[in-house]
């Protein structure tokens, strides 16, 4: 049971906040975090340009996230029905995967535009910040689950 919860929550935790964790606080808009901006040597002009890019994608991302939650909720409801068929469930699963793919494409497109605002050094710095965040979150999750370093969930 604990393994299932870990497997289901890990991707959500890693993707939802990985772009902005630093210094014990979570910022979805990492470019507005003074510590991250300073570490990356991000200029105010770059931060403003990134904000504009983010703003231009924000509504589309929200719409797709809502659609994804709705479709997942519908699938869970369908699975509770005693007479649901495999075909219905598989069709709903395909729909969910299509929404996820569309959302991923939107986020990647946004990231690529943001990437074009950064210098190669700033991009490397951002990757290092994300790696530190991911490592910290994995360590916290292992500690919460009582796992030792290197130990995995069966």
């Amino acid at each position: 049971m604990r393994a299932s919860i870990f497997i289901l929550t890990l991707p959500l935790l890693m993707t939802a906040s990985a772009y902005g964790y630093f210094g014990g606080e979570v910022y979805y808009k990492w470019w507005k975090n003074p510590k991250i901006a300073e570490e990356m040597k991000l200029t105010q002009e770059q931060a403003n340009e990134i904000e504009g890019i983010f703003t231009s994608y924000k509504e589309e991302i929200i719409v797709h996230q809502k659609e994804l939650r709705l479709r997942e909720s519908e699938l869970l409801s369908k699975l509770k029905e005693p007479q649901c068929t495999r075909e219905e469930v598989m069709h709903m699963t395909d729909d969910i995967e299509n929404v996820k793919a569309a959302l991923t494409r939107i986020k990647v497109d946004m990231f690529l535009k943001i990437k074009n605002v950064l210098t190669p050094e700033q991009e490397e710095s951002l990757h290092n910040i994300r790696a530190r965040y991911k490592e910290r979150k994995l360590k916290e999750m292992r500690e919460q689950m009582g796992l030792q370093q290197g130990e995995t969930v069966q």
Side-chain angles (χ1 to χ4, degrees):
M1 177 65 171
R2 286 180 11 177
S4 297
I5 292 170
F6 178 77
I7 290 168
L8 292 173
T9 59
L10 180 63
L12 295 173
L13 289 173
M14 298 309 290
T15 57
S17 303
Y19 294 108
Y21 185 83
F22 194 74
E25 297 177 331
V26 174
Y27 288 86
Y28 184 70
K29 295 183 175 187
W30 53 264
W31 57 93
K32 289 190 170 194
N33 181 325
K35 293 177 184 176
I36 291 175
E38 182 180 343
E39 181 176 336
M40 291 180 61
K41 298 181 175 89
L42 194 68
T43 68
Q44 188 58 50
E45 291 152 348
Q46 286 174 308
N48 291 343
E49 192 170 347
I50 293 168
E51 179 68 23
I53 293 167
F54 174 79
T55 300
S56 72
Y57 282 88
K58 183 178 176 182
E59 186 62 35
E60 191 175 7
I61 289 171
I62 289 170
V63 166
H64 279 77
Q65 287 173 333
K66 286 180 180 178
E67 180 69 20
L68 180 59
R69 283 192 299 270
L70 174 66
R71 301 268 179 126
E72 288 174 335
S73 176
E74 290 171 348
L75 175 61
L76 290 175
S77 294
K78 178 60 76 177
L79 289 170
K80 292 176 184 175
E81 293 177 9
Q83 300 301 321
C84 72
T85 66
R86 182 180 189 284
E87 291 77 26
E88 289 174 317
V89 171
M90 296 310 288
H91 179 72
M92 293 175 85
T93 302
D94 288 343
D95 289 345
I96 288 169
E97 292 305 314
N98 289 335
V99 174
K100 285 181 181 180
L103 183 57
T104 298
R105 281 190 300 275
I106 293 164
K107 289 179 177 181
V108 167
D109 189 46
M110 180 180 72
F111 176 75
L112 290 172
K113 287 185 180 179
I114 289 172
K115 180 181 171 181
N116 288 333
V117 173
L118 303 175
T119 66
E121 294 81 15
Q122 289 171 323
E123 188 179 347
E124 182 179 346
S125 179
L126 182 58
H127 287 298
N128 291 337
I129 290 166
R130 287 179 181 157
R132 286 196 314 263
Y133 167 77
K134 287 179 182 181
E135 184 58 37
R136 203 174 350 215
K137 291 311 287 180
L138 282 172
K139 182 180 177 189
E140 289 173 9
M141 290 182 75
R142 284 187 194 110
E143 289 172 358
Q144 288 175 354
M145 294 183 67
L147 297 174
Q148 300 299 316
Q149 182 67 26
E151 191 176 7
T152 59
V153 177
Q154 301 275 328

